[in-house]
Amino acid sequence: MPSKPVRLPPDTATILERSRGILFAQWEELLRLRRAVLKSFDTDDIHDLRVASRRIRAVLELYYPLVPKGSKAELRESVRKLTRMLGGLRNIDEAQIFFRSRANSDASGDSRLCRTLSKLRSRELRRIGKALKNFDHRNLDRTVRQIVAGLNEDCLAERNRFSLLACFSEVSIRLYLPIHQLLAVSTAPGQRASRHALRIAIKKWRYFFEIIAQVLGSDYTHILELLKEYQSLLGRMNDIAEFGELLARLELPRHEREQAEELLLAEDALLLESFTELIGRKPLAYTFLI
């Protein structure tokens, strides 16, 4: 029976070409969504813009060590601020969905909590519009183009990076280490901060595999699906924590606040139980295949 042919990884020139394409495509998607939001302020576009800002950050973090210094620090900070700025609206929207889905009657849609969140959302939209108009996309676009142009074989030689595959492997190990350290303690009820850190670490590793899958042409479907499952569950747990912080800042009748807090406590307990079960059923171990 003939043996299965060995799959060879792409050469350095191909990896660099694909990397440049991915970086520029992610940046173009961010700019497209920024224009779409300023035009219509569609809710889905706003949340897609936040995801796009996270994805371009992941690409930039992967390739930052390989490109000339220039203004890349300004680019990194500007995109990070964009991500954080969009997070407030996302939390309000998710809080509205959560509390309305658990309402006991139709009248609860007109509760003090829902009315307050709606007003808060309107203010957040105005803040986002102002921030997006002030986002210096033209200057940042020039920086991105410089980074894309500088991502070549000369930059590897200048930084003594002889193997991009070895570089990717190092990054993967570095991204997995905090996951390994946090998994063991994250199921304890009082370890909310650990679960928050674990969620971020898993998200970064997932974005890494999404990028590498395109660069190397490798199939990372299994690990990506598993990371998505972990991230989704931890994300819902983080939402509950964010809803609690949001609730603490609102002026509400005592009985309504207490009801909302009870809902959050019950949901948090259920999610922690599901998370503990997930770790036992689908352990998350290190992998990186070329």
mmCIF file of all heavy atoms in Angstrom, residues 152-184:
data_model
loop_
_atom_site.group_PDB
_atom_site.id
_atom_site.type_symbol
_atom_site.label_atom_id
_atom_site.label_comp_id
_atom_site.label_asym_id
_atom_site.label_seq_id
_atom_site.Cartn_x
_atom_site.Cartn_y
_atom_site.Cartn_z
ATOM 1 N N ASN A 152 9.547 41.435 4.545
ATOM 2 C CA ASN A 152 10.212 40.751 3.426
ATOM 3 C C ASN A 152 11.427 39.982 3.948
ATOM 4 O O ASN A 152 11.722 39.984 5.145
ATOM 5 C CB ASN A 152 10.623 41.760 2.352
ATOM 6 C CG ASN A 152 11.428 42.919 2.941
ATOM 7 O OD1 ASN A 152 12.355 42.695 3.715
ATOM 8 N ND2 ASN A 152 11.053 44.153 2.608
ATOM 9 N N GLU A 153 12.120 39.331 3.022
ATOM 10 C CA GLU A 153 13.239 38.486 3.437
ATOM 11 C C GLU A 153 14.397 39.305 3.987
ATOM 12 O O GLU A 153 15.182 38.810 4.803
ATOM 13 C CB GLU A 153 13.683 37.612 2.264
ATOM 14 C CG GLU A 153 12.607 36.616 1.837
ATOM 15 C CD GLU A 153 13.132 35.512 0.948
ATOM 16 O OE1 GLU A 153 14.212 34.959 1.261
ATOM 17 O OE2 GLU A 153 12.464 35.188 -0.047
ATOM 18 N N ASP A 154 14.533 40.549 3.558
ATOM 19 C CA ASP A 154 15.593 41.397 4.104
ATOM 20 C C ASP A 154 15.382 41.645 5.593
ATOM 21 O O ASP A 154 16.331 41.661 6.382
ATOM 22 C CB ASP A 154 15.642 42.736 3.361
ATOM 23 C CG ASP A 154 16.173 42.586 1.944
ATOM 24 O OD1 ASP A 154 16.835 41.563 1.675
ATOM 25 O OD2 ASP A 154 15.906 43.484 1.120
ATOM 26 N N CYS A 155 14.107 41.840 5.982
ATOM 27 C CA CYS A 155 13.826 42.113 7.399
ATOM 28 C C CYS A 155 14.145 40.885 8.253
ATOM 29 O O CYS A 155 14.550 41.019 9.409
ATOM 30 C CB CYS A 155 12.374 42.550 7.603
ATOM 31 S SG CYS A 155 11.171 41.203 7.655
ATOM 32 N N LEU A 156 14.005 39.695 7.692
ATOM 33 C CA LEU A 156 14.350 38.482 8.431
ATOM 34 C C LEU A 156 15.852 38.390 8.646
ATOM 35 O O LEU A 156 16.325 38.042 9.735
ATOM 36 C CB LEU A 156 13.863 37.241 7.679
ATOM 37 C CG LEU A 156 12.359 37.105 7.438
ATOM 38 C CD1 LEU A 156 12.067 35.796 6.714
ATOM 39 C CD2 LEU A 156 11.585 37.157 8.746
ATOM 40 N N ALA A 157 16.606 38.715 7.609
ATOM 41 C CA ALA A 157 18.066 38.655 7.709
ATOM 42 C C ALA A 157 18.583 39.674 8.722
ATOM 43 O O ALA A 157 19.490 39.384 9.511
ATOM 44 C CB ALA A 157 18.687 38.902 6.339
ATOM 45 N N GLU A 158 17.991 40.865 8.721
ATOM 46 C CA GLU A 158 18.414 41.918 9.640
ATOM 47 C C GLU A 158 18.176 41.531 11.096
ATOM 48 O O GLU A 158 18.898 41.966 11.993
ATOM 49 C CB GLU A 158 17.669 43.216 9.326
ATOM 50 C CG GLU A 158 18.083 43.852 8.009
ATOM 51 C CD GLU A 158 17.203 45.037 7.650
ATOM 52 O OE1 GLU A 158 16.340 45.400 8.485
ATOM 53 O OE2 GLU A 158 17.360 45.595 6.551
ATOM 54 N N ARG A 159 17.162 40.714 11.337
ATOM 55 C CA ARG A 159 16.820 40.327 12.704
ATOM 56 C C ARG A 159 17.227 38.900 13.036
ATOM 57 O O ARG A 159 16.772 38.330 14.025
ATOM 58 C CB ARG A 159 15.314 40.519 12.920
ATOM 59 C CG ARG A 159 14.961 41.994 13.033
ATOM 60 C CD ARG A 159 13.519 42.286 12.675
ATOM 61 N NE ARG A 159 13.294 43.723 12.723
ATOM 62 C CZ ARG A 159 13.688 44.565 11.760
ATOM 63 N NH1 ARG A 159 14.312 44.116 10.703
ATOM 64 N NH2 ARG A 159 13.465 45.867 11.890
ATOM 65 N N ASN A 160 18.072 38.332 12.187
ATOM 66 C CA ASN A 160 18.578 36.971 12.391
ATOM 67 C C ASN A 160 17.446 35.952 12.544
ATOM 68 O O ASN A 160 17.549 35.000 13.318
ATOM 69 C CB ASN A 160 19.494 36.920 13.625
ATOM 70 C CG ASN A 160 20.742 37.761 13.438
ATOM 71 O OD1 ASN A 160 21.334 37.767 12.353
ATOM 72 N ND2 ASN A 160 21.137 38.483 14.477
ATOM 73 N N ARG A 161 16.360 36.174 11.803
ATOM 74 C CA ARG A 161 15.242 35.238 11.823
ATOM 75 C C ARG A 161 15.355 34.348 10.587
ATOM 76 O O ARG A 161 14.910 34.706 9.490
ATOM 77 C CB ARG A 161 13.909 35.998 11.799
ATOM 78 C CG ARG A 161 13.666 36.829 13.051
ATOM 79 C CD ARG A 161 13.211 35.932 14.188
ATOM 80 N NE ARG A 161 12.842 36.715 15.356
ATOM 81 C CZ ARG A 161 12.258 36.209 16.435
ATOM 82 N NH1 ARG A 161 11.977 34.927 16.474
ATOM 83 N NH2 ARG A 161 11.963 36.970 17.465
ATOM 84 N N PHE A 162 15.976 33.201 10.745
ATOM 85 C CA PHE A 162 16.236 32.337 9.590
ATOM 86 C C PHE A 162 15.080 31.388 9.302
ATOM 87 O O PHE A 162 15.010 30.813 8.240
ATOM 88 C CB PHE A 162 17.524 31.542 9.823
ATOM 89 C CG PHE A 162 18.726 32.428 10.006
ATOM 90 C CD1 PHE A 162 19.305 32.585 11.245
ATOM 91 C CD2 PHE A 162 19.247 33.129 8.928
ATOM 92 C CE1 PHE A 162 20.409 33.412 11.415
ATOM 93 C CE2 PHE A 162 20.344 33.968 9.094
ATOM 94 C CZ PHE A 162 20.927 34.110 10.339
ATOM 95 N N SER A 163 14.197 31.202 10.261
ATOM 96 C CA SER A 163 13.086 30.285 10.059
ATOM 97 C C SER A 163 11.798 30.885 10.611
ATOM 98 O O SER A 163 11.644 31.051 11.826
ATOM 99 C CB SER A 163 13.359 28.947 10.751
ATOM 100 O OG SER A 163 12.203 28.129 10.730
ATOM 101 N N LEU A 164 10.879 31.210 9.711
ATOM 102 C CA LEU A 164 9.581 31.719 10.160
ATOM 103 C C LEU A 164 8.787 30.625 10.860
ATOM 104 O O LEU A 164 8.010 30.914 11.782
ATOM 105 C CB LEU A 164 8.795 32.250 8.958
ATOM 106 C CG LEU A 164 9.182 33.643 8.482
ATOM 107 C CD1 LEU A 164 8.464 33.976 7.171
ATOM 108 C CD2 LEU A 164 8.851 34.694 9.533
ATOM 109 N N LEU A 165 8.969 29.382 10.448
ATOM 110 C CA LEU A 165 8.266 28.286 11.104
ATOM 111 C C LEU A 165 8.691 28.168 12.569
ATOM 112 O O LEU A 165 7.861 27.952 13.455
ATOM 113 C CB LEU A 165 8.532 26.971 10.367
ATOM 114 C CG LEU A 165 8.014 26.895 8.930
ATOM 115 C CD1 LEU A 165 8.388 25.564 8.303
ATOM 116 C CD2 LEU A 165 6.496 27.085 8.901
ATOM 117 N N ALA A 166 9.978 28.332 12.824
ATOM 118 C CA ALA A 166 10.469 28.301 14.203
ATOM 119 C C ALA A 166 9.921 29.487 14.993
ATOM 120 O O ALA A 166 9.562 29.362 16.164
ATOM 121 C CB ALA A 166 11.996 28.311 14.216
ATOM 122 N N CYS A 167 9.844 30.623 14.314
ATOM 123 C CA CYS A 167 9.288 31.823 14.948
ATOM 124 C C CYS A 167 7.826 31.594 15.338
ATOM 125 O O CYS A 167 7.408 31.911 16.455
ATOM 126 C CB CYS A 167 9.405 33.008 13.996
ATOM 127 S SG CYS A 167 8.662 34.534 14.613
ATOM 128 N N PHE A 168 7.053 31.024 14.427
ATOM 129 C CA PHE A 168 5.639 30.750 14.711
ATOM 130 C C PHE A 168 5.498 29.750 15.859
ATOM 131 O O PHE A 168 4.609 29.877 16.706
ATOM 132 C CB PHE A 168 4.943 30.203 13.466
ATOM 133 C CG PHE A 168 4.832 31.182 12.340
ATOM 134 C CD1 PHE A 168 4.771 30.748 11.019
ATOM 135 C CD2 PHE A 168 4.784 32.546 12.586
ATOM 136 C CE1 PHE A 168 4.662 31.653 9.973
ATOM 137 C CE2 PHE A 168 4.680 33.465 11.546
ATOM 138 C CZ PHE A 168 4.628 33.012 10.234
ATOM 139 N N SER A 169 6.369 28.742 15.883
ATOM 140 C CA SER A 169 6.325 27.752 16.950
ATOM 141 C C SER A 169 6.603 28.396 18.304
ATOM 142 O O SER A 169 5.941 28.091 19.304
ATOM 143 C CB SER A 169 7.350 26.642 16.676
ATOM 144 O OG SER A 169 7.319 25.673 17.696
ATOM 145 N N GLU A 170 7.564 29.306 18.345
ATOM 146 C CA GLU A 170 7.887 30.014 19.585
ATOM 147 C C GLU A 170 6.695 30.836 20.064
ATOM 148 O O GLU A 170 6.377 30.855 21.257
ATOM 149 C CB GLU A 170 9.096 30.927 19.367
ATOM 150 C CG GLU A 170 10.413 30.198 19.168
ATOM 151 C CD GLU A 170 11.524 31.150 18.777
ATOM 152 O OE1 GLU A 170 11.297 32.374 18.817
ATOM 153 O OE2 GLU A 170 12.621 30.670 18.415
ATOM 154 N N VAL A 171 6.038 31.507 19.122
ATOM 155 C CA VAL A 171 4.875 32.321 19.472
ATOM 156 C C VAL A 171 3.757 31.441 20.026
ATOM 157 O O VAL A 171 3.110 31.771 21.028
ATOM 158 C CB VAL A 171 4.369 33.115 18.250
ATOM 159 C CG1 VAL A 171 3.037 33.797 18.572
ATOM 160 C CG2 VAL A 171 5.399 34.145 17.822
ATOM 161 N N SER A 172 3.530 30.292 19.390
ATOM 162 C CA SER A 172 2.473 29.398 19.833
ATOM 163 C C SER A 172 2.716 28.913 21.255
ATOM 164 O O SER A 172 1.794 28.895 22.092
ATOM 165 C CB SER A 172 2.369 28.202 18.881
ATOM 166 O OG SER A 172 1.304 27.348 19.256
ATOM 167 N N ILE A 173 3.945 28.533 21.552
ATOM 168 C CA ILE A 173 4.288 28.085 22.905
ATOM 169 C C ILE A 173 4.070 29.211 23.911
ATOM 170 O O ILE A 173 3.505 29.006 24.990
ATOM 171 C CB ILE A 173 5.746 27.582 22.952
ATOM 172 C CG1 ILE A 173 5.893 26.299 22.129
ATOM 173 C CG2 ILE A 173 6.195 27.345 24.389
ATOM 174 C CD1 ILE A 173 7.325 25.857 21.928
ATOM 175 N N ARG A 174 4.505 30.406 23.549
ATOM 176 C CA ARG A 174 4.362 31.550 24.448
ATOM 177 C C ARG A 174 2.890 31.876 24.720
ATOM 178 O O ARG A 174 2.509 32.224 25.836
ATOM 179 C CB ARG A 174 5.062 32.768 23.842
ATOM 180 C CG ARG A 174 5.107 33.969 24.785
ATOM 181 C CD ARG A 174 5.987 35.072 24.258
ATOM 182 N NE ARG A 174 5.416 35.726 23.095
ATOM 183 C CZ ARG A 174 5.914 35.675 21.872
ATOM 184 N NH1 ARG A 174 7.001 34.971 21.640
ATOM 185 N NH2 ARG A 174 5.335 36.314 20.876
ATOM 186 N N LEU A 175 2.051 31.717 23.702
ATOM 187 C CA LEU A 175 0.629 31.988 23.866
ATOM 188 C C LEU A 175 -0.068 30.906 24.688
ATOM 189 O O LEU A 175 -1.053 31.187 25.378
ATOM 190 C CB LEU A 175 -0.048 32.113 22.496
ATOM 191 C CG LEU A 175 0.322 33.338 21.664
ATOM 192 C CD1 LEU A 175 -0.294 33.246 20.275
ATOM 193 C CD2 LEU A 175 -0.124 34.623 22.348
ATOM 194 N N TYR A 176 0.426 29.683 24.607
ATOM 195 C CA TYR A 176 -0.213 28.590 25.344
ATOM 196 C C TYR A 176 0.157 28.591 26.825
ATOM 197 O O TYR A 176 -0.648 28.164 27.665
ATOM 198 C CB TYR A 176 0.163 27.239 24.741
ATOM 199 C CG TYR A 176 -0.406 26.079 25.529
ATOM 200 C CD1 TYR A 176 -1.762 25.762 25.466
ATOM 201 C CD2 TYR A 176 0.404 25.317 26.371
ATOM 202 C CE1 TYR A 176 -2.291 24.719 26.206
ATOM 203 C CE2 TYR A 176 -0.120 24.260 27.115
ATOM 204 C CZ TYR A 176 -1.468 23.981 27.031
ATOM 205 O OH TYR A 176 -1.997 22.949 27.774
ATOM 206 N N LEU A 177 1.345 29.048 27.182
ATOM 207 C CA LEU A 177 1.814 28.961 28.563
ATOM 208 C C LEU A 177 0.827 29.531 29.583
ATOM 209 O O LEU A 177 0.538 28.874 30.595
ATOM 210 C CB LEU A 177 3.187 29.637 28.700
ATOM 211 C CG LEU A 177 4.374 28.802 28.221
ATOM 212 C CD1 LEU A 177 5.666 29.598 28.329
ATOM 213 C CD2 LEU A 177 4.482 27.514 29.049
ATOM 214 N N PRO A 178 0.289 30.743 29.404
ATOM 215 C CA PRO A 178 -0.680 31.236 30.399
ATOM 216 C C PRO A 178 -1.944 30.385 30.464
ATOM 217 O O PRO A 178 -2.563 30.273 31.523
ATOM 218 C CB PRO A 178 -0.984 32.659 29.922
ATOM 219 C CG PRO A 178 -0.574 32.708 28.496
ATOM 220 C CD PRO A 178 0.571 31.752 28.375
ATOM 221 N N ILE A 179 -2.323 29.765 29.348
ATOM 222 C CA ILE A 179 -3.486 28.871 29.356
ATOM 223 C C ILE A 179 -3.204 27.681 30.259
ATOM 224 O O ILE A 179 -4.023 27.299 31.106
ATOM 225 C CB ILE A 179 -3.818 28.403 27.924
ATOM 226 C CG1 ILE A 179 -4.210 29.600 27.055
ATOM 227 C CG2 ILE A 179 -4.932 27.359 27.939
ATOM 228 C CD1 ILE A 179 -4.402 29.260 25.584
ATOM 229 N N HIS A 180 -2.026 27.093 30.091
ATOM 230 C CA HIS A 180 -1.623 25.950 30.909
ATOM 231 C C HIS A 180 -1.612 26.313 32.401
ATOM 232 O O HIS A 180 -2.051 25.528 33.247
ATOM 233 C CB HIS A 180 -0.239 25.479 30.469
ATOM 234 C CG HIS A 180 0.343 24.402 31.323
ATOM 235 N ND1 HIS A 180 -0.114 23.106 31.296
ATOM 236 C CD2 HIS A 180 1.347 24.434 32.250
ATOM 237 C CE1 HIS A 180 0.569 22.378 32.160
ATOM 238 N NE2 HIS A 180 1.463 23.158 32.747
ATOM 239 N N GLN A 181 -1.131 27.509 32.701
ATOM 240 C CA GLN A 181 -1.019 27.929 34.099
ATOM 241 C C GLN A 181 -2.377 28.241 34.732
ATOM 242 O O GLN A 181 -2.575 28.048 35.926
ATOM 243 C CB GLN A 181 -0.102 29.151 34.188
ATOM 244 C CG GLN A 181 1.344 28.854 33.803
ATOM 245 C CD GLN A 181 2.143 30.112 33.532
ATOM 246 O OE1 GLN A 181 1.604 31.223 33.459
ATOM 247 N NE2 GLN A 181 3.451 29.965 33.371
ATOM 248 N N LEU A 182 -3.313 28.714 33.927
ATOM 249 C CA LEU A 182 -4.596 29.175 34.468
ATOM 250 C C LEU A 182 -5.675 28.105 34.512
ATOM 251 O O LEU A 182 -6.607 28.196 35.317
ATOM 252 C CB LEU A 182 -5.097 30.365 33.633
ATOM 253 C CG LEU A 182 -4.303 31.653 33.768
ATOM 254 C CD1 LEU A 182 -4.641 32.608 32.629
ATOM 255 C CD2 LEU A 182 -4.587 32.317 35.113
ATOM 256 N N LEU A 183 -5.581 27.092 33.661
ATOM 257 C CA LEU A 183 -6.636 26.082 33.586
ATOM 258 C C LEU A 183 -6.888 25.398 34.927
ATOM 259 O O LEU A 183 -8.036 25.173 35.319
ATOM 260 C CB LEU A 183 -6.294 25.032 32.530
ATOM 261 C CG LEU A 183 -6.709 25.356 31.095
ATOM 262 C CD1 LEU A 183 -6.123 24.331 30.136
ATOM 263 C CD2 LEU A 183 -8.233 25.401 30.956
ATOM 264 N N ALA A 184 -5.816 25.065 35.639
ATOM 265 C CA ALA A 184 -5.952 24.293 36.875
ATOM 266 C C ALA A 184 -6.709 25.042 37.968
ATOM 267 O O ALA A 184 -7.417 24.431 38.769
ATOM 268 C CB ALA A 184 -4.567 23.889 37.387
#
